[in-house]
């Protein structure tokens, strides 16, 4: 009797485990995207593409994962007591996004997803509305806060801009939902279009650009600018390009940093396309193990000053997913200290919050030296 019960329990556990694995792997092959062969058809002629891969203008040092760093990262990913988790529920902005246009405004929807309003145009950046940034819907980094604005509630978009193909910036389910609910084109770096074609996004809605190439949508210019990062959705790396973006309207200019380490390219971007009225700079997921592919907060302030001599800095790439073992609120605390010292005006909206940029915007610090005092410290949970 006992032996039969044990066999039954073992069989039940095996079925449960098998079912979990099947759920974890469901749609994973499709989510991986295109293979190197189909990507090379588009990427092969780029001067930045050599020996089957793209290269940074400023070479990035390899990952330095020693035993202690591995231990810290593993503990952080598995522990419910990790400092990289918020201490309580993350507050969301209460006010709904308005339906009218501002000359320049941004609604931060979490991580690197932002809805930019610029001179009558709407641009959505690096959209991820899924619960996880992963090829699986069951395993992988999970959201720390709900999506503040449902995808279906987004206004009509003029463009969807993607910085690169990592899962926290290019999400298959979100892309397919945007294909169904929007008419805007996807403007992406070279090679990323192959993933979209693999997911049957209409070809006439895909615009692929190399660094320093641009496209126009009406009076809006979208310029693919360099970044210092890498790419890859499975075993191969750097077969698609990574980028930042200069978004230039007839009256205003915005810069979307996407996901990047600090690079000398910032100064050239500022000289070629700035000064910018608004920058969206990544500040999170930094580590000594990968110092050149993610900026720390102080470098984000430095990058802002490289691309513009004025303008407002709004931080992105933090708060929403746990991608490094630093304390959850540390990026914004360090950012505000560095911005205050450098005299850089900064706004830190809650997820879902909207910041209007200009003299009439009450939520933008007028005096850069008073930046910290003018910002609601909502992250102090």
């Amino acid at each position: 009797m006992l032996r039969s019960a044990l066999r039954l329990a073992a069989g039940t556990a095996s079925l449960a485990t098998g079912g979990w694995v099947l759920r974890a792997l469901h749609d994973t092959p499709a989510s991986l995207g295109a293979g190197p062969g189909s990507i090379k058809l588009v990427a092969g002629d780029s001067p930045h593409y050599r020996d089957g891969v793209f290269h940074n203008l400023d070479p990035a040092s390899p990952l330095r994962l020693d035993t202690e760093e591995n231990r810290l990262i593993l503990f952080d990913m598995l522990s419910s007591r990790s400092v990289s988790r918020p201490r309580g529920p993350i507050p969301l902005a209460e006010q709904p996004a308005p339906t009218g246009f501002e000359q320049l405004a941004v609604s931060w929807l979490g991580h690197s997803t932002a809805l930019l309003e610029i001179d009558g145009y709407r641009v959505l950046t690096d959209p991820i509305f899924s619960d996880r940034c992963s090829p699986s819907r069951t395993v992988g980094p999970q959201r720390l806060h709900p999506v503040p604005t449902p995808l279906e509630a987004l206004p009509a978009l003029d463009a969807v801009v993607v910085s690169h193909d990592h899962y926290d910036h290019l999400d298959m389910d979100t892309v397919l939902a945007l294909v169904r609910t929007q008419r805007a084109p996807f403007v992406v770096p070279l090679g990323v279009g192959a993933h979209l074609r693999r997911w049957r996004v209409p070809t006439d809605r895909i615009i692929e650009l190399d660094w320093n190439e641009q496209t126009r949508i009406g009076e809006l210019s979208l310029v693919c600018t360099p970044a210092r990062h890498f790419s890859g959705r499975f075993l191969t790396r750097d077969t698609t390009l990574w980028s930042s973006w200069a978004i230039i309207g007839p009256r205003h200019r915005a810069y979307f940093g996407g996901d990047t380490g600090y690079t000398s390219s910032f100064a050239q971007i500022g000289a070629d396309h700035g000064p910018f009225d608004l920058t969206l700079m990544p500040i999170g997921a930094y580590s000594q193990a990968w110092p050149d592919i993610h900026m720390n907060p102080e470098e984000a302030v430095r990058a802002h000053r490289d691309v513009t001599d004025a303008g407002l800095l709004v931080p992105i790439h933090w708060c929403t997913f746990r991608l490094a073992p630093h304390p959850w609120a540390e990026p914004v605390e360090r950012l505000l200290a560095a911005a205050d010292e450098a005299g850089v005006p900064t706004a830190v909206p809650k997820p879902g919050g909207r910041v209007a940029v200009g003299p009439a915007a009450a939520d933008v610090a007028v005096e850069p030296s008073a930046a910290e005092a003018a910002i609601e410290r909502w992250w102090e949970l």
Side-chain angles (χ1 to χ4, degrees):
M1 181 72 69
L2 178 59
R3 184 175 299 174
S4 298
L6 289 174
R7 281 201 300 268
L8 178 61
T12 302
S14 297
L15 286 173
T17 301
W20 181 87
V21 170
L22 288 175
R23 288 195 302 275
L25 295 178
H26 183 66
D27 282 343
T28 294
S31 184
L32 295 177
S38 57
I39 293 171
K40 186 177 180 180
L41 296 175
V42 175
D45 293 334
S46 169
H48 312 295
Y49 186 85
R50 301 185 303 275
D51 302 322
V53 295
F54 284 98
H55 295 263
N56 282 301
L57 297 179
D58 293 335
S61 60
L63 299 182
R64 299 198 301 263
L65 292 179
D66 56 24
T67 302
E68 178 64 16
E69 189 71 25
N70 278 326
R71 187 190 67 78
L72 287 173
I73 293 173
L74 183 62
F75 174 81
D76 180 75
M77 293 297 106
L78 297 178
S79 173
S80 61
R81 296 180 289 118
S82 169
V83 294
S84 69
R85 293 180 181 273
R87 290 186 299 232
I90 298 172
L92 304 182
E94 297 179 0
Q95 69 277 13
T99 57
F101 284 110
E102 294 282 349
Q103 287 190 341
L104 184 61
V106 62
S107 298
W108 181 52
L109 305 181
H111 203 53
S112 296
T113 305
L115 176 61
L116 177 68
E117 305 164 56
I118 179 168
D119 297 338
Y121 295 89
R122 293 189 180 105
V123 178
L124 186 67
T125 66
D126 282 2
I128 174 167
F129 286 74
S130 294
D131 187 52
R132 297 180 186 273
C133 56
S134 167
S136 169
R137 299 188 181 115
T138 307
V139 297
Q142 190 170 21
R143 281 186 170 273
L144 299 174
H145 64 78
V147 175
T149 300
L151 184 146
E152 295 76 12
L154 291 174
L157 303 172
D158 296 287
V160 178
V161 164
V162 175
S163 64
H164 66 301
D165 71 1
H166 285 160
Y167 290 102
D168 56 322
H169 298 260
L170 179 68
D171 177 64
M172 182 185 72
D173 288 344
T174 300
V175 166
L176 295 179
L178 288 169
V179 169
R180 293 192 303 269
T181 59
Q182 297 281 344
R183 297 182 178 180
F186 294 84
V187 187
V188 302
L190 276 183
V192 175
H195 297 315
L196 304 185
R197 288 185 287 274
R198 168 79 169 80
W199 301 331
R200 298 185 179 180
V201 175
T203 302
D204 61 359
R205 290 185 62 178
I206 302 171
I207 301 172
E208 285 183 90
L209 301 175
D210 202 348
W211 287 337
N212 301 313
E213 292 182 342
Q214 64 178 291
T215 189
R216 288 183 65 87
I217 298 173
E219 294 185 283
L220 185 72
S221 294
L222 301 172
V223 187
C224 182
T225 47
R228 191 184 191 190
H229 200 56
F230 69 106
S231 65
R233 294 176 74 83
F234 191 45
L235 298 179
T236 57
R237 285 183 52 172
D238 301 341
T239 58
T240 64
L241 188 62
W242 48 94
S243 71
S244 57
W245 291 90
I247 303 169
I248 304 172
R251 293 176 297 279
H252 294 90
R253 295 168 182 258
Y255 177 74
F256 172 59
D259 196 359
T260 179
Y262 184 81
T263 170
S264 60
S265 297
F266 290 133
Q268 190 63 52
I269 292 168
D272 291 343
H273 307 293
F276 295 95
D277 305 290
L278 169 70
T279 71
L280 305 176
M281 288 293 184
I283 66 167
Y286 49 85
S287 171
Q288 293 182 356
W290 49 85
D292 297 331
I293 58 172
H294 282 164
M295 288 194 292
N296 63 39
E298 294 78 17
E299 289 170 328
V301 171
R302 182 181 173 192
H304 173 90
R305 299 188 71 187
D306 284 349
V307 301
T308 186
D309 55 5
L312 178 73
L313 189 162
V314 174
I316 60 171
H317 203 267
W318 79 286
C319 174
T320 305
F321 297 106
R322 296 166 56 234
L323 302 175
H326 59 65
W328 175 75
E330 182 183 275
V332 69
E333 295 284 1
R334 286 175 56 176
L335 173 78
L336 290 179
D340 193 49
E341 181 177 352
V344 171
T346 306
V348 186
K350 298 174 184 175
R354 182 174 180 272
V355 176
V357 182
D363 49 357
V364 174
V366 178
E367 295 294 334
S369 61
E372 283 202 68
I375 293 175
E376 177 191 356
R377 303 178 69 84
W378 55 264
W379 55 88
E380 294 181 344
L381 305 176

